[in-house]
Amino acid sequence: MQTGQRDSFGSRFGVIAAAAGSAIGLGNIWRFPYVLGENGGGIFLLIYLLLVAMVGIPVMLSEFTIGRSTQRNPYGAFRRLAPGQPWYLVGMMGIVAAFMILAFYTVVAGWTLEYLYQALVHGFRGLSSQQLNDMFDHFRGGTFRPILWFLIFMFLTAWIVVAGIRNGIEKYTKVLMPFLFVLILVLDVRAVTLPGAAEGLKFLFKPDLSKISAETILEALGQGFFSLSIGMGTLITYGSYIGKQERLGNTALNVTIADTLIAVLAGIAIFPAVFAFGIQPDVGTGLVFKTLPLIFQEMPGGYFFAIIFFLLLSIAALTSTISVLEVIVAFFSEELHLTRRSATLLASSAVGVLGIFAAGSWGWFHKVEMLGQNFFGILDFTTANILLPLGGFFIVLFVGWFMGTDRVRAELSNDGTIRAAYLPVFLFLVRFVAPLAIALVFMNGLGWI
Ligand code: TRP
């Protein structure tokens, strides 16, 4: 495709909204609390924040830089910047990661639809904590419903991606993200005023140094990558649609701040309730689904809040799934020269098959396990904690050492038309700090050093 014909975002707020729409999703509201709950609470938060600042922002800005300067999907971008060199493998790895992420992420998005449905039909009224727990486990252990919701969500994602960037992605994200933000604030207010809430806030904000471990640090790194949508080329792809007049540094900073804020606000909603209702913070992937209904029960108008919340959460998940599918579709259409429609059909069918297995991880497919993890857990762990950090490592190395300082400077300063005073700091981060931090956390976490 010629550069001039390429689709692009229509407005400045559109860019930030779309990138934030990709970043903000189930990663913040479902994954962040469950991983934090399993990894010692406050200490996890502290390490998470440090890694987001030191590693997350540099990787995100590197992806934008690569994407906008080449106007290509991740694979094509590396091909163009480093012809004849194996860097394109980083792009390939991103495409593989995209398939795996979509397969399990869309399953969770399907759970959200089930909860939207439950909220509509009975509003979780009168159900005890134990009953809600059983309800979730029963639903997820079934065969038909998790698969059905998954397929519905996959279809919705594909439908929007076929429509293209300006008509599809941008239109939906712009309006709805601010709503979600306000609703989470409302939940926060209710949660922190529950009797016994202080215990939860202590868990979230008070670091307990004795709970630190190599695995906790790796989980924090993986969660950072996952939540920011970095390490596999989503933001290379979105970067390729960003207009030449946008300030990439500002965009990366704003998106990171928004994403981190939403995760912390989700934590403030969840943990006070977890402790107030006597739920174990380390119950794992079901945590928010078992906790949130209890908050709604304690709210005036909880019936309506529950519906709106699960609706907005589904939409937040949708703006994330479309960004992942878009990576594969951009690759198929630019490199294999498929039409957008066939590319989308092919990609979503392949994910559809993989996801049916992921959705069955607590039901018909639960017997398949590796290292004590079911199929869903394997996809989740491998992508977040291995493929994304690995991808991020090579992305910062590439921008720091191989892309050429002139090219990086030109991209960040919009060809010298704006000041990018942060450039030396950025170069220091991408050359030394981020790669070293990723390598250390990674090898330490996997027990290699
Ligand atoms: N960041 C999204 C979330 O938090 C999920 C997501 C979208 C993602 N694109 C990604 C995760 C790319 C990893 C890589 O919900």
Side-chain angles (χ1 to χ4, degrees):
M1 233 196 272
Q2 289 294 307
T3 306
Q5 301 170 342
R6 238 165 164 266
D7 215 348
S8 71
F9 290 119
S11 71
R12 145 159 245 185
F13 186 63
V15 175
I16 297 181
S22 169
I24 297 164
L26 297 167
N28 310 60
I29 292 157
W30 158 73
R31 202 175 188 283
F32 177 79
Y34 108 69
V35 176
L36 182 137
E38 286 182 339
N39 286 282
I43 187 69
F44 177 91
L45 177 62
L46 185 67
I47 300 168
Y48 177 82
L49 294 175
L50 280 174
L51 287 172
V52 164
M54 275 174 13
V55 178
I57 296 175
V59 176
M60 183 181 289
L61 191 48
S62 296
E63 290 204 24
F64 283 156
T65 305
I66 294 174
R68 194 177 65 172
S69 77
T70 57
Q71 309 272 300
R72 282 289 179 285
N73 68 84
Y75 167 90
F78 280 110
R79 268 264 137 108
R80 168 165 287 202
L81 289 172
Q85 292 172 28
W87 286 99
Y88 68 89
L89 290 171
V90 180
M92 294 295 287
M93 188 170 79
I95 312 287
V96 173
F99 273 105
M100 294 170 67
I101 288 173
L102 260 186
F104 79 88
Y105 191 92
T106 313
V107 168
V108 184
W111 302 346
T112 313
L113 289 184
E114 163 79 13
Y115 269 62
L116 173 59
Y117 168 79
Q118 298 287 351
L120 274 164
V121 295
H122 61 61
F124 311 107
R125 232 176 327 225
L127 295 175
S128 67
S129 172
Q130 185 62 41
Q131 283 168 321
L132 285 164
N133 181 70
D134 298 347
M135 185 181 106
F136 181 78
D137 290 344
H138 180 75
F139 154 68
R140 193 166 67 168
T143 305
F144 181 65
R145 291 174 83 92
I147 294 180
L148 179 72
W149 288 123
F150 159 73
L151 290 175
I152 292 175
F153 207 93
M154 199 60 234
F155 176 80
L156 282 174
T157 306
W159 182 55
I160 295 179
V161 167
V162 169
I165 296 297
R166 197 182 292 232
N167 293 328
I169 297 172
E170 192 177 337
K171 194 166 78 188
Y172 294 87
T173 41
K174 237 194 305 216
V175 200
L176 295 160
M177 288 299 112
F179 264 114
L180 181 66
F181 180 78
V182 174
L183 201 64
I184 296 173
L185 281 181
V186 174
L187 289 183
D188 284 344
V189 172
R190 175 64 273 205
V192 301
T193 50
L194 287 169
E199 198 59 26
L201 291 174
K202 220 171 101 195
F203 179 79
L204 177 61
F205 288 115
K206 195 151 179 267
D208 177 351
L209 287 173
S210 70
K211 290 197 179 142
I212 199 167
S213 73
E215 203 192 326
T216 298
I217 305 176
L218 179 65
E219 289 282 356
L221 181 73
Q223 174 59 27
F225 272 83
F226 191 89
S227 190
L228 295 172
S229 298
I230 55 179
M232 56 151 264
T234 300
L235 298 183
I236 293 181
T237 308
Y238 270 26
S240 76
Y241 306 123
I242 296 180
K244 288 292 181 196
Q245 73 295 343
E246 301 295 342
R247 295 163 174 264
L248 296 183
N250 274 11
T251 307
L253 196 64
N254 285 330
V255 172
T256 305
I257 291 173
D259 186 74
T260 308
L261 190 64
I262 297 265
V264 173
L265 290 177
I268 297 175
I270 301 290
F271 287 101
V274 163
F275 283 83
F277 296 109
I279 299 169
Q280 293 304 318
D282 60 355
V283 292
T285 45
L287 182 69
V288 289
F289 293 95
K290 296 173 178 181
T291 308
L292 282 170
L294 292 162
I295 309 180
F296 294 124
Q297 284 177 350
E298 298 295 319
M299 280 167 80
Y303 175 77
F304 295 102
F305 277 117
I307 296 170
I308 301 169
F309 179 82
F310 284 112
L311 182 66
L312 288 175
L313 185 57
S314 308
I315 293 166
L318 193 59
T319 57
S320 300
T321 52
I322 54 186
S323 76
V324 187
L325 185 58
E326 178 64 26
V327 175
I328 311 176
V329 169
F331 170 73
F332 279 172
S333 56
E334 286 170 16
E335 305 303 328
L336 309 180
H337 305 291
L338 297 180
T339 61
R340 226 184 141 75
R341 187 177 279 271
S342 337
T344 310
L345 192 68
L346 188 65
S348 47
S349 311
V351 174
V353 173
L354 205 57
I356 288 176
F357 290 91
S361 294
W362 291 265
W364 68 278
F365 201 56
H366 78 276
K367 290 226 171 64
V368 172
E369 278 195 7
M370 230 173 81
L371 306 168
Q373 302 235 37
N374 60 21
F375 184 57
F376 179 104
I378 296 167
L379 291 174
D380 186 348
F381 185 90
T382 320
T383 49
N385 297 350
I386 297 179
L387 294 181
L388 299 181
L390 214 53
F393 177 75
F394 287 115
I395 287 167
V396 280
L397 272 195
F398 184 79
V399 169
W401 298 100
F402 296 92
M403 193 170 158
T405 313
D406 287 345
R407 192 153 193 169
V408 175
R409 182 183 298 116
E411 205 50 54
L412 293 180
S413 66
N414 297 353
D415 292 321
T417 56
I418 55 165
R419 273 187 66 213
Y422 60 84
L423 187 73
V425 181
F426 174 67
L427 286 174
F428 180 67
L429 287 172
V430 289
R431 283 186 182 151
F432 304 103
V433 178
L436 268 175
I438 299 172
L440 283 176
V441 174
F442 194 65
M443 295 197 290
N444 190 34
L446 296 178
W448 295 350
I449 50 171

